[in-house]
Amino acid sequence: MAVRHPGGYLWDEVVHDADDPGAQVADVRTVVRWRRGTRWALVLATALGTAVSGTGPVLADGGASAGGAVVRAADACTATTGPYQWQVEHLLGLPRDGQMSAADCRAIQAAQRRLGITPADGAADERTFQRLLAAGRTPTPKPKPKPVPKPKPKPKPKPKPVPKPKPKPTPPPVPVPEPTPKPVPKPVPKPKPKPVPKPKPKPKPKPKPKPVRPKPACNADTGPYQWQLEKRLKLRQDGEMSTADCRAIQRLQKRLGISPAKGAADQKTFRLALVDDVRRDPNQRKRCPVRSFRVTCVDLGRQVLWVQKGRRIVFGPVPIRSGRKGLETRTGWQSVYDKKRTFFSTIYDGAPMPYSQFFNGGQALHGTYKDLFESGSGGCVNMYVRDAQRLYRLLDIGDRLYIYGRKPQNRAASPSEVSGPAAEAAEDLLVAEGFGSSGIPVVEDPDAAD
């Protein structure tokens, strides 16, 4: 059958053998061109599969060729959904819906023809899928848009030259009479000033050399505490005063505020040196236990109290007065079980006990308005009111106390006791005197002490 195209071109893609329906089919592209006045046909057949024997295309007038093949405008694509429908749609860049459509069938047919698959029936079978994979088929890229050429800028019109104005003729100059020159007076020379002589600088007086003060002679004699001070200052322990010993004791006296600092190894110097040691580290002898909680340490031998937490001193040391003979303060571990900011004794004629903190059967830490080293208490640990007030604010009910040692006897310490328990007791007495009544004011008014 012949098909005429109004534009003059006709493309036939499939040729069937009319005589033998079972014969193999060859893909044929037929081009028919129509010209004005005459009609002619040019048939071009390209076999992609098996050649069809004895067949020939039908010409444009509708007659059959020698083989009896018939050319149709387009053959129908009736393939159904195949087992590789999704894969083939993906490789060909088709909509992936898993269903065969006419567009899918024609796209698969075209791919089969390009790959030489016969017959090109448009089916999504395994053979088509494997050949597409081997060919590395990817979705056809979209054609890049052609760059739009930029319009060439129009040349700017050149400005027209402006004609220059012609210069006007200059009138001839009018002759001016020359002025008569006046006589110029001759300048009178100014007298040159006489140079003033610069005053000569006075010679600076030479600074007088500062007089070198000779070091004061240290000629103190051997003192009663010569051995003890030599031991404390790590000097040569020979019990004899030398110039080196004298100057070392002088430096110690200046640091302790002793005046005049003569370098003498006397009792005052040794006692204040012991007091200075206690102020720097009251637990130097390691007698008060070190705990992670707060411990109030009461040293009856040196009559000193302080509070430590671990190895850190958080209060004191301060001087105290413990129980006298027969009414000694109880030793060992104690605990604060009651606190009274204002309290009066029910045993000792209503004596004031400000800032009382009771720890054992009526014995308490409290302030006193009397001299600490006057005698002794009835078992309580007395301290000056200002120290008792600060301690009252620091401690809580349940805080622990550790009380140890014996109150020193009120006797003169022998300088000959250099080592041993007797020497330690003598040093304790000197510390107690240094922390006690010496130089500490006594408050008489209870109201003023609060």
Side-chain angles (χ1 to χ4, degrees), residues 142 155 198 317 344:
K142 294 182 181 180
K198 293 181 179 180
F344 296 91

Side-chain angles (χ1 to χ4, degrees), residues 191-202:
K192 293 181 180 180
K194 293 180 181 181
V196 180
K198 293 181 179 180
K200 293 181 180 180
K202 295 180 181 180

Side-chain angles (χ1 to χ4, degrees), residues 226-243:
Q226 188 73 36
W227 283 95
Q228 291 87 337
L229 287 172
E230 285 175 349
K231 180 181 179 181
R232 187 184 185 283
L233 296 175
K234 297 179 181 180
L235 302 172
R236 181 181 177 183
Q237 299 179 29
D238 54 3
E240 297 290 336
M241 179 66 76
S242 65
T243 303

Side-chain angles (χ1 to χ4, degrees), residues 218 220-221 223 225-226 229-230 233 235 241-256 258 261-266 269-270:
C218 196
D221 296 331
Y225 288 88
Q226 188 73 36
L229 287 172
E230 285 175 349
L233 296 175
L235 302 172
M241 179 66 76
S242 65
T243 303
D245 296 348
C246 182
R247 295 196 182 281
I249 297 173
Q250 266 188 339
R251 289 192 294 270
L252 175 64
Q253 290 172 337
K254 289 177 181 179
R255 186 172 66 81
L256 297 175
I258 299 174
K262 295 182 178 181
D266 52 12
T269 302
F270 182 57

Side-chain angles (χ1 to χ4, degrees), residues 105-355:
C105 184
R106 292 192 183 280
I108 297 171
Q109 270 185 340
Q112 288 172 339
R113 291 191 192 103
R114 280 189 293 271
L115 297 173
I117 300 173
T118 306
D121 53 0
D125 50 13
E126 182 181 1
R127 182 179 59 171
T128 303
F129 173 63
Q130 294 295 339
R131 291 290 295 275
L132 285 173
L133 284 178
R137 180 71 177 179
T138 55
T140 306
K142 294 182 181 180
K144 296 183 180 179
K146 293 182 180 179
V148 180
K150 294 182 179 179
K152 294 182 179 180
K154 294 180 180 180
K156 295 181 179 179
K158 294 182 179 180
K160 294 181 180 180
V162 180
K164 295 182 179 180
K166 293 180 180 180
K168 294 180 180 181
T170 306
V174 178
V176 179
E178 293 183 1
T180 304
K182 294 180 181 181
V184 179
K186 292 181 180 180
V188 179
K190 292 181 180 180
K192 293 181 180 180
K194 293 180 181 181
V196 180
K198 293 181 179 180
K200 293 181 180 180
K202 295 180 181 180
K204 293 181 180 180
K206 293 181 180 180
K208 295 180 181 180
K210 294 182 180 179
V212 179
R213 295 182 180 179
K215 293 183 179 180
C218 196
N219 50 10
D221 296 331
T222 301
Y225 288 88
Q226 188 73 36
W227 283 95
Q228 291 87 337
L229 287 172
E230 285 175 349
K231 180 181 179 181
R232 187 184 185 283
L233 296 175
K234 297 179 181 180
L235 302 172
R236 181 181 177 183
Q237 299 179 29
D238 54 3
E240 297 290 336
M241 179 66 76
S242 65
T243 303
D245 296 348
C246 182
R247 295 196 182 281
I249 297 173
Q250 266 188 339
R251 289 192 294 270
L252 175 64
Q253 290 172 337
K254 289 177 181 179
R255 186 172 66 81
L256 297 175
I258 299 174
S259 182
K262 295 182 178 181
D266 52 12
Q267 186 190 61
K268 181 179 181 180
T269 302
F270 182 57
R271 179 176 63 189
L272 291 182
L274 293 174
V275 170
D276 184 65
D277 290 342
V278 175
R279 284 175 179 160
R280 289 171 179 266
D281 185 9
N283 201 23
Q284 189 176 12
R285 295 178 180 175
K286 313 296 183 186
R287 302 283 176 83
C288 187
V290 176
R291 298 290 185 269
S292 60
F293 50 85
R294 256 192 324 243
V295 178
T296 301
C297 304
V298 182
D299 185 350
L300 300 179
R302 295 180 294 180
Q303 295 289 284
V304 177
L305 177 147
W306 71 93
V307 181
Q308 64 186 22
K309 186 176 182 180
R311 298 185 183 278
R312 185 167 62 94
I313 307 300
V314 297
F315 176 85
V318 296
I320 63 166
R321 180 178 68 174
S322 61
R324 59 184 177 270
K325 189 175 181 180
L327 297 172
E328 290 83 359
T329 303
R330 300 179 185 95
T331 58
W333 282 101
Q334 311 290 342
S335 297
V336 176
Y337 66 86
D338 194 12
K339 297 179 68 169
K340 300 290 183 183
R341 184 178 180 277
T342 303
F343 190 77
F344 296 91
S345 175
T346 57
I347 300 175
Y348 299 102
D349 301 327
M353 299 169 58
Y355 303 104

Side-chain angles (χ1 to χ4, degrees), residues 364-435:
L365 307 168
H366 66 84
T368 183
Y369 301 106
K370 295 183 178 180
D371 189 355
L372 286 180
F373 212 71
E374 190 177 47
S375 58
S377 70
C380 293
V381 177
N382 301 156
M383 62 191 77
Y384 287 107
V385 175
R386 60 175 178 268
D387 296 333
Q389 182 183 19
R390 291 191 299 122
L391 186 63
Y392 186 88
R393 293 172 180 171
L394 176 65
L395 301 184
D396 298 322
I397 292 178
D399 273 15
R400 304 298 302 277
L401 289 78
Y402 186 75
I403 305 172
Y404 65 95
R406 291 181 58 188
K407 185 174 182 177
Q409 300 297 322
N410 193 3
R411 62 178 180 82
S414 173
S416 61
E417 296 168 348
V418 179
S419 61
E424 185 174 304
E427 290 179 2
D428 289 349
L429 180 60
L430 291 175
V431 172
E433 290 174 350
F435 267 93

